[in-house]
Amino acid sequence: MSESTVTFRREHRPVLAAGDYQVTLSQRVSLEPVDFTTTRRFTVAGDRFGLAPSLVRSVFPPEGSVGDHAAVLPHIVLERATLPWERSPGGAGPQTPPWLALLLFTEQEAPPVSTVPLGQVAAGPWLPPAAVAAESHESAQEPVTVIDVPAALLADLLPGYADLPLLAHVRADGDDPADTAVVVGTRLPPAGMTSVVHLVSLEHRFTPASDGSWVLDRGPAPVGETVRLVSLTSWRFASVSADHTFTTLVRDLAEEGATPRLPDSGQPAADRYLGAGFVPARHRLRQGGSSIGWYRGPLVPGPTDAGPVAPVRTGDALLRFDAELGMFDLGYAAAWQLGRLLALGSGDTATALYGWRRRRDQRAVRTLRAARNDLGSGYPLAVAPIDDSLPAGLRDWLTGLTRLDGVPFGYLVPDEGLLPAESIRFLGVDQGWVRHLVDGAVSVGRLGPADEARDAATPLPLEFPTLTGALIRSQVVSGYPGLLVDGYADRAGAGHLTPRVTRRLSPEVLLCLFEGELARLDLHQPPEAQHLAVELRSPGSFGRTLRAPGGSERVPDPVGPLPLGPRGTVSPTGLAAAIAASLGVPTAEVDSGDLALQLTETAERVTFLRP
């Protein structure tokens, strides 16, 4: 299993802050009476009233996720590492804090969101003129997203000026050459509620007070009214009980870990089919009658492949009759017919198949005639060669069939009993089924025995490797869109298997297939699911078990319990002071990078071992 190193730094300030600049160049020549002087102006146009989606690498908790996030401090990861320090919330100089902050609201508290032209932003609740004055590269018609927050609510949620430097840091992943900036919120999501998070601009929003501190400039608005903030982006998620966490949901799947098969019926002849993954299915005969047959799709209890299959002209040729039960085996016949229907349903594919078959047949006829009559010798004109290779587009489409692309869900899982809710099924692929599926697709234009013989003599250049994997039906699939799945050939996790198929068949069903025999399956969240969290202690308090600093052998004492602030907020400065006391260092030495190191939780991973 691969490991990576993550480094946290306090900040990454840009060389030039956003704004207008000018460069003046003077050149003195001794023979000239006047110096040559020229001035050039340029603008550093940083983001100000919105963020392009490409700038947001990830958010946590994820957009639309459902889980136990009660101890999580929400954060956003930005692709440009300098972004939080490109502007100023107030003041100037190298120690100016970040101008961005995360505010978390419950769904009931969430302020209305509106979009207004930049030239009219100040028409609502008061904003400092410097915060909304258009710069040289901006237009008064530029749309700006704003939220109007009740002043009392904002007073509880907005971090102080001294807190801002601790709420943004730079993260550098060992396997990623590009640094990212991380902005962290201060409020813990209330349990059992939906939360809405806004990344807001604090540019020029703080002003110095008489005591030397910096306070939010609310202008002439009296207490009790709303304060307008510019929202650069937002997302929402739900925090529920611990029963819906990633680890709990995945571990619960282990109780339902089995192979895709229905329970035994008590009749040995039928149980032989049930144990192999067959299900009884309605069978409509070609003559118009109806019966019950056995059907099995490509997903079976174990990998199966009897090698190449003989081409046929009709699906009926693949029906197998069990005289003991008086029932047909329909699986391969259904696969062949489905492949044919998929090819005919795609006009481009059917046309390409017909053209390829025609060119192949023409070349075969020419080769046969040349062999019989030696037509090539002495022929006065050059004969253009016939390219009968499989077209690249057609080959890609057929390769997709070998990965089960386009196969309807009902063919893969024909009975709900094969995949109950909140279950995982370990399985293999019946490559015989897949081979008949492909043969059905290329049967378009196969009319007589000669076509059959020619298809048998020229097998398709496709691979049918041994495939094993798992089928998962769970809330973890829908609740964690970035879910990652790794397969290994050994229980120790040393032999990584090549993934062949990773596909969501429905919002809650995930199919994962790997090349080779699966011995271990790991489900885990992506690296960006690293998040910052505290430990909830008694009601209204929190703490944190600390990591030893690099190179230190002393295990620091746990921090806390510390009191939560209004509406479940965490004081960054108070937490930093407590961490410094536990580590035995001055408070000034604990910066945002140190805080991130101590609060970061790694992505969770759950492992399944097959017997």
Side-chain angles (χ1 to χ4, degrees):
M1 295 168 56
S2 62
E3 297 182 358
S4 61
T5 301
V6 180
T7 304
F8 301 102
R9 298 199 305 274
R10 178 181 65 184
E11 60 186 22
H12 185 177
R13 295 185 179 271
V15 176
L16 291 178
D20 297 326
Y21 295 85
Q22 71 176 28
V23 177
T24 300
L25 175 67
S26 295
Q27 184 181 28
R28 173 173 295 179
V29 180
S30 59
L31 299 179
E32 296 291 336
V34 180
D35 295 345
F36 171 78
T37 302
T38 184
T39 299
R40 294 291 185 266
R41 294 176 175 82
F42 66 93
T43 299
V44 177
D47 295 275
R48 190 181 180 200
F49 295 116
L51 293 182
S54 59
L55 280 177
V56 180
R57 172 173 293 191
S58 65
V59 297
F60 195 92
E63 166 74 35
S65 67
V66 177
D68 180 18
H69 305 306
V72 171
L73 294 172
H75 75 253
I76 184 170
V77 181
L78 304 171
E79 289 285 359
R80 193 163 70 241
T82 61
L83 186 55
W85 298 275
E86 291 176 358
R87 296 184 179 274
S88 170
Q95 301 303 318
T96 303
W99 64 289
L100 301 175
L102 284 180
L103 300 183
L104 184 148
F105 306 91
T106 65
E107 196 169 32
Q108 293 73 25
E109 299 168 346
V113 178
S114 56
T115 302
V116 296
L118 175 57
Q120 301 178 19
V121 170
W126 184 86
L127 285 172
V132 292
E135 296 180 349
S136 59
H137 65 283
E138 294 170 339
S139 165
Q141 301 305 314
E142 181 176 336
V144 179
T145 301
V146 298
I147 54 175
D148 296 331
V149 186
L153 175 61
L154 185 63
D156 291 341
L157 301 183
L158 188 69
Y161 191 84
D163 293 324
L164 294 178
L166 295 170
L167 295 177
H169 63 271
V170 176
R171 178 190 296 174
D173 293 330
D175 55 353
D176 189 344
D179 295 349
T180 56
V182 182
V183 181
V184 187
T186 59
R187 185 184 185 184
L188 301 178
M193 295 186 180
T194 297
S195 297
V196 182
V197 184
H198 285 271
L199 179 68
V200 299
S201 165
L202 299 179
E203 183 185 15
H204 300 305
R205 298 308 302 267
F206 285 87
T207 185
S210 57
D211 60 357
S213 63
W214 291 76
V215 296
L216 182 70
D217 187 357
R218 291 174 42 215
V223 176
E225 292 194 3
T226 60
V227 178
R228 172 160 288 185
L229 296 171
V230 174
S231 174
L232 282 76
T233 189
S234 64
W235 77 95
R236 65 178 58 226
F237 60 90
S239 182
V240 294
S241 68
D243 294 338
H244 292 79
T245 62
F246 174 82
T247 303
T248 303
L249 288 172
V250 176
R251 285 178 179 170
D252 287 346
L253 296 178
E255 300 178 2
E256 293 293 336
T259 56
R261 56 154 299 178
L262 297 180
D264 288 343
S265 65
Q267 298 181 9
D271 292 344
R272 185 174 70 253
Y273 282 92
L274 295 174
F278 285 85
V279 299
R282 293 181 179 179
H283 178 206
R284 186 172 298 278
L285 303 175
R286 187 178 295 275
Q287 294 81 5
S290 61
S291 178
I292 300 294
W294 291 109
Y295 172 77
R296 186 178 74 173
L299 308 180
V300 297
T304 303
D305 189 6
V309 300
V312 297
R313 280 177 286 159
T314 66
D316 288 352
L318 299 174
L319 292 173
R320 297 294 181 266
F321 183 71
D322 188 323
E324 183 179 359
L325 290 175
M327 299 171 64
F328 281 103
D329 174 355
L330 314 172
Y332 289 166
W336 189 93
Q337 191 64 36
L338 173 64
R340 187 176 179 86
L341 292 174
L342 290 175
L344 292 173
S346 172
D348 292 342
T349 300
T351 301
L353 275 169
Y354 176 77
W356 165 72
R357 183 180 293 278
R358 185 168 179 267
R359 291 191 301 273
R360 187 197 61 178
D361 293 349
Q362 288 174 342
R363 177 165 181 169
V365 170
R366 177 184 293 180
T367 303
L368 180 61
R369 288 178 177 176
R372 289 178 177 175
N373 304 319
D374 194 20
L375 296 180
S377 61
Y379 195 75
L381 297 178
V383 179
I386 298 176
D387 181 10
D388 64 344
S389 60
L390 197 65
L394 181 56
R395 179 171 182 167
D396 292 342
W397 188 85
L398 293 173
T399 300
L401 280 189
T402 68
R403 296 193 300 261
L404 307 178
D405 292 352
V407 176
F409 184 78
Y411 282 81
L412 301 174
V413 186
D415 190 289
E416 187 176 3
L418 298 175
L419 188 67
E422 296 303 319
S423 66
I424 182 171
R425 293 291 182 260
F426 295 99
L427 47 84
V429 172
D430 181 359
Q431 290 292 10
W433 197 98
V434 179
R435 290 176 187 272
H436 285 298
L437 175 74
V438 173
D439 183 60
V442 298
S443 69
V444 175
R446 185 185 297 160
L447 304 178
D451 296 321
E452 244 179 274
R454 196 168 291 123
D455 287 346
T458 56
L460 296 171
L462 301 177
E463 297 180 353
F464 298 89
T466 298
L467 298 181
T468 56
L471 192 61
I472 304 170
R473 179 185 178 187
S474 171
Q475 296 180 38
V476 75
V477 176
S478 57
Y480 295 85
L483 180 68
L484 299 179
V485 185
D486 295 327
Y488 302 91
D490 61 301
R491 297 165 69 91
H496 196 279
L497 295 178
T498 302
R500 179 83 170 185
V501 176
T502 303
R503 184 182 309 134
R504 277 175 166 76
L505 304 180
S506 75
E508 291 190 346
V509 178
L510 177 66
L511 174 64
C512 307
L513 297 176
F514 304 89
E515 295 185 15
E517 292 278 356
L518 180 69
R520 166 176 167 170
L521 186 76
D522 284 9
L523 303 183
H524 60 101
Q525 300 183 65
E528 57 266 26
Q530 293 176 352
H531 58 279
L532 290 84
V534 296
E535 299 164 357
L536 296 178
R537 303 286 172 82
S538 58
S541 67
F542 71 97
R544 180 68 190 182
T545 302
L546 302 182
R547 298 180 173 91
S552 174
E553 297 182 357
R554 184 182 75 86
V555 178
D557 298 328
V559 167
L562 302 174
L564 289 170
R567 302 180 190 268
T569 54
V570 172
S571 169
T573 51
L575 179 58
I579 291 175
S582 180
L583 297 177
V585 299
T587 301
E589 292 188 10
V590 177
D591 57 30
S592 60
D594 300 315
L595 202 63
L597 172 65
Q598 297 297 342
L599 299 185
T600 292
E601 297 281 354
T602 56
E604 298 170 293
R605 177 184 292 264
V606 177
T607 296
F608 294 88
L609 300 178
R610 295 196 65 185

